[in-house]
Amino acid sequence: MAKTLPIRFNDEQTARLEEAAALAGYKHLSTYVRDRALATDRSGGRQADLDNWADQQRILSLLESLEHSQAANQTIMTIAVYLLRQSSTQGKLNELRTELSALGSNGEVLAALLPELAKDIERLSGED
């Protein structure tokens, strides 16, 4: 017959356990706590630590890539705002807004705003 064992956790500990159980795919917190308490394979713990470290490195790499993309987007948008403000006529301003709204990628926006600079960047980066 199964026997219960009362264990007390504070709110923060309970939240951490619930998050860990959910990440591990457990539906019931008690099952997760039991399995973790009875886990005797020490090498599995080291492997889990190594897996966690690898996941953290992958996430850091993705965040760095995201930051780089955001910086590029911000630069393109700054160029667009500057050029929009330089346009002297409302017709030219509306034409540029329409053209930019139809474009999808940063490269397309840059090519529309500054075609010579876009060609130089493409040539220097080795893209065809």
Side-chain angles (χ1 to χ4, degrees), residues 3 20 25 33 57-58 76 80 86-87 97 101-105 107 112 115:
K3 183 175 182 179
V33 171
Q57 296 305 309
R58 184 180 58 82
I76 298 296
Q86 295 301 312
S87 298
R97 281 183 181 149
S101 67
L103 300 176
S105 71

Side-chain angles (χ1 to χ4, degrees), residues 54-64:
D55 287 343
Q56 288 175 349
Q57 296 305 309
R58 184 180 58 82
I59 290 169
L60 288 174
S61 175
L62 291 171
L63 287 173
E64 185 177 321

Side-chain angles (χ1 to χ4, degrees), residues 80-109:
V81 169
Y82 173 78
L83 291 175
L84 286 171
R85 289 187 176 167
Q86 295 301 312
S87 298
S88 57
T89 65
Q90 188 63 36
K92 181 68 175 169
L93 185 65
N94 290 339
E95 179 183 323
L96 189 54
R97 281 183 181 149
T98 302
E99 185 177 344
L100 291 178
S101 67
L103 300 176
S105 71
N106 286 337
E108 291 174 344
V109 172

Side-chain angles (χ1 to χ4, degrees), residues 16 37 39 43 52 78 80 90 115:
R16 286 179 27 213
S43 64
N52 287 340
T78 301
Q90 188 63 36

Side-chain angles (χ1 to χ4, degrees), residues 14-63:
T14 303
R16 286 179 27 213
L17 278 172
E18 288 171 345
E19 182 180 353
L23 288 173
Y26 283 82
K27 292 183 180 181
H28 302 285
L29 183 59
S30 59
T31 307
Y32 174 75
V33 171
R34 184 196 62 219
D35 289 351
R36 292 289 293 179
L38 297 176
T40 58
D41 184 17
R42 295 285 185 210
S43 64
R46 284 189 212 122
Q47 183 62 40
D49 290 343
L50 185 59
D51 290 344
N52 287 340
W53 179 83
D55 287 343
Q56 288 175 349
Q57 296 305 309
R58 184 180 58 82
I59 290 169
L60 288 174
S61 175
L62 291 171
L63 287 173

